[in-house]
């Protein structure tokens, strides 16, 4: 589906559910992370790319102050929440959390009606959560006449996810989705909140493939990894692991397992992002490909966020023609991204689908 078609679906769903046209509708894309995994909550470097898949949110005032009457996908999926509700681990938490941080003390006098449509797979590592947060904040800002910069929307959306949904993520997803544009990579320093748009080589596609293993980040090891990184910081007496660079690797080796590996991944991953950017600038795609492969090994061995099905898919992708491939997103299942020369893509996709019946190609970009 195109962005226009997703937007039209949200408007149609709104009409169907609430019997009126929405006052405002906005959209935000998903993203694939090309390199720099788990570095964002460690003050490090990331290299995501917004996708041509995304989520549209249609909104109007309606009902009593504080109520959030929301529908997603189809009319059967309609839920009424209140802005003062505590989180209940449902999809509507993303809405309640986003609206809470957005409005803070300036809650509108009337309730809100919301319809959501998306062509983005959820829970696949493509950041459907950031897309829904950012699209809602954009639409709700338009509805209430507020002007908020894309960076501020990213900061608020991350807070919604950290403080209300209970997912201790960094800012990569919300930043790339709010600030970037589809098809162009964003080189982001998550501590300085400084970013640069980077053109990608014409010779290759990034192929995103779901492993068939679903992740649920709030229930898996993501939070554990955040805690381990914090423990490594305390042991090393630094504020963030990205205060150290690869020159400090010998200090890392003194840490008890598994903190040594966790810290090593962050330091080497930051270095790979830096070197990968340089490789792209100088057209050295062999190096770029190698950094993807090394990143996967580091996620698998040092950060322990991969699973056997994903490892097999990464290895299979290289065997059937990708120049590089790695787990993308938080891990514990989810998707891989493969860097494939354009003429090879059709045969590559066929080979992956026949070799991995549970895998699904989500996007070629
Ligand atoms: P990811 O961000 O990689 O897709 P997350 O686990 O962070 O994975 O977020 C997925 C969750 O976000 C879903 O389980 C659901 O609760 C919520 N969500 C995302 N998009 C939608 C949508 N279009 N409609 C309803 N809920 C959604
Ligand atoms: Mg998410």
């Amino acid at each position: 589906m195109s962005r226009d078609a997703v937007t039209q679906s949200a408007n149609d769903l709104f009409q169907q559910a609430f019997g009126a046209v929405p006052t405002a509708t906005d959209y935000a894309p998903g993203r694939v992370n090309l390199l720099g995994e788990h570095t964002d909550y460690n003050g490090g470097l990331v290299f995501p790319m917004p996708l041509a898949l995304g989520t549209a949110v249609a909104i109007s005032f309606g009902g009593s102050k504080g109520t959030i009457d929301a529908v997603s996908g189809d009319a059967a999926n309609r839920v009424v929440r209140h802005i003062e509700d505590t989180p209940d681990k449902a999809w509507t938490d993303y809405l309640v959390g986003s609206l809470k941080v957005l409005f803070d003390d300036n809650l509108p006098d009337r309730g809100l009606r919301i319809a959501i449509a998306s062509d983005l797979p959820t829970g696949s590592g493509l950041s459907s959560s950031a897309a829904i947060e950012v699209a809602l904040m954009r639409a709700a800002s338009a509805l209430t006449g507020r002007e908020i910069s894309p960076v501020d929307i990213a900061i608020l959306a991350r807070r919604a996810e950290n403080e209300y949904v209970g997912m201790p993520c960094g800012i990569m997803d919300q930043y790339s989705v709010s600030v970037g544009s589809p098809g162009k990579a964003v080189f982001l320093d998550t501590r300085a909140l400084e970013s640069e748009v980077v053109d990608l080589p014409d010779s290759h596609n990034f192929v995103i493939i779901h492993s068939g293993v679903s992740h649920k980040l709030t229930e898996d090891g993501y939070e554990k990894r955040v805690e381990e990184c914090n423990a490594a910081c305390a042991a090393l007496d630094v504020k963030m692991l990205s205060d150290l660079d690869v020159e400090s690797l010998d200090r890392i080796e003194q840490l008890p397992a598994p903190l040594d590996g966790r810290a090593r991944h962050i330091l080497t991953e930051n270095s790979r992002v830096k070197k990968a950017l340089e490789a792209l600038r100088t057209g050295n795609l062999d190096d770029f490909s190698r950094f993807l492969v090394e990143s996967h090994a580091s996620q698998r061995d040092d950060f322990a966020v991969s699973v056997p099905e994903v490892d097999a898919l990464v290895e299979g992708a290289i065997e059937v023609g990708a120049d590089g491939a790695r787990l993308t997103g938080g891990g514990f299942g989810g998707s891989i991204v493969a860097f494939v020369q354009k003429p090879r893509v059709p045969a590559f996709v066929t080979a992956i689908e026949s070799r991995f019946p549970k895998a699904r190609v989500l996007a070629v970009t």
Side-chain angles (χ1 to χ4, degrees):
M1 273 167 100
S2 64
R3 173 186 174 140
D4 285 349
V6 175
T7 302
Q8 188 60 50
S9 294
N11 289 339
D12 291 347
L13 180 61
F14 191 97
Q15 173 83 48
Q16 197 191 337
F18 304 113
V21 289
T23 308
T25 307
D26 217 321
Y27 172 93
R31 64 98 190 96
V32 59
N33 190 23
L34 303 180
L35 199 64
E37 216 69 73
H38 290 269
T39 45
D40 62 344
Y41 56 82
N42 287 294
L45 306 175
V46 292
F47 196 49
M49 170 176 62
L51 296 168
L53 302 168
T55 300
V57 173
I59 193 166
S60 284
F61 290 121
S64 58
K65 185 173 181 176
T67 57
I68 301 160
D69 188 349
V71 56
S72 177
D74 63 67
N77 206 10
R78 183 166 169 185
V79 180
V80 181
R81 297 281 302 268
H82 192 276
I83 194 89
E84 297 301 339
D85 284 354
T86 51
D88 71 359
K89 296 211 178 293
W91 64 272
T92 46
D93 282 357
Y94 293 89
L95 310 182
V96 180
S98 297
L99 294 168
K100 248 178 143 51
V101 295
L102 179 70
F103 289 124
D104 198 16
D105 290 335
N106 297 303
L107 190 65
D109 285 335
R110 303 177 62 193
L112 297 171
R113 293 185 171 141
I114 294 169
I116 299 158
S118 181
D119 62 354
L120 198 57
T122 59
S124 302
L126 301 188
S127 230
S128 68
S129 61
I132 198 173
E133 292 152 7
V134 170
L136 173 59
M137 287 195 182
R138 286 176 173 168
S141 303
L143 174 71
T144 53
R146 295 158 68 108
E147 287 203 12
I148 310 184
S149 75
V151 173
D152 285 339
I153 286 193
I155 292 169
L156 290 174
R158 179 195 180 186
R159 272 188 48 207
E161 196 146 342
N162 287 170
E163 295 171 14
Y164 192 82
V165 176
M167 166 66 179
C169 59
I171 200 164
M172 167 174 67
D173 296 357
Q174 292 81 7
Y175 190 101
S176 55
V177 157
S178 180
V179 178
S181 40
K184 296 208 184 264
V186 180
F187 171 71
L188 168 65
D189 178 332
T190 61
R191 173 153 30 196
L193 276 191
E194 283 168 8
S195 65
E196 194 184 316
V197 172
V198 180
D199 284 325
L200 295 165
D202 285 332
S203 55
H204 284 65
N205 284 126
F206 290 94
V207 183
I208 305 160
I209 310 161
H210 194 275
S211 62
V213 183
S214 281
H215 75 167
K216 225 171 184 311
L217 292 180
T218 43
E219 284 167 23
D220 281 311
Y222 193 100
E223 205 174 326
K224 184 112 199 286
R225 294 295 172 276
V226 176
E227 284 164 12
E228 288 166 346
C229 288
N230 291 340
C233 283
L236 292 160
D237 197 23
V238 294
K239 201 153 170 276
M240 294 189 137
L241 284 176
S242 302
D243 288 339
L244 303 172
D245 60 21
V246 280
E247 314 282 290
S248 310
L249 276 175
D250 50 339
R251 283 186 66 196
I252 301 290
E253 307 307 330
Q254 317 294 321
L255 290 172
L259 302 187
D260 54 347
R262 308 298 188 252
R264 189 162 51 234
H265 168 74
I266 300 303
L267 271 53
T268 58
E269 189 78 348
N270 280 333
S271 154
R272 278 185 290 272
V273 175
K274 237 188 269 174
K275 291 190 292 188
L277 186 69
E278 193 51 37
L280 284 181
R281 284 202 176 115
T282 55
N284 195 338
L285 300 186
D286 288 347
D287 276 0
F288 180 76
S289 305
R290 186 162 49 80
F291 298 137
L292 299 180
V293 173
E294 288 177 7
S295 169
H296 184 76
S298 181
Q299 295 186 91
R300 179 191 63 211
D301 302 335
D302 278 343
F303 217 64
V305 286
S306 192
V307 296
E309 292 89 338
V310 168
D311 294 337
L313 190 55
V314 165
E315 276 163 39
I318 306 276
E319 279 166 28
V320 302
D323 287 341
R326 59 183 286 278
L327 164 65
T328 182
F332 307 98
S335 302
I336 74 159
V337 59
F339 187 55
V340 186
Q341 293 172 34
K342 278 185 181 164
R344 288 191 188 166
V345 168
F348 173 81
V349 168
T350 307
I352 287 288
E353 285 174 344
S354 75
R355 203 157 151 173
F356 297 94
K358 282 204 293 181
R360 261 177 313 130
V361 174
L362 300 179
V364 176
T365 176

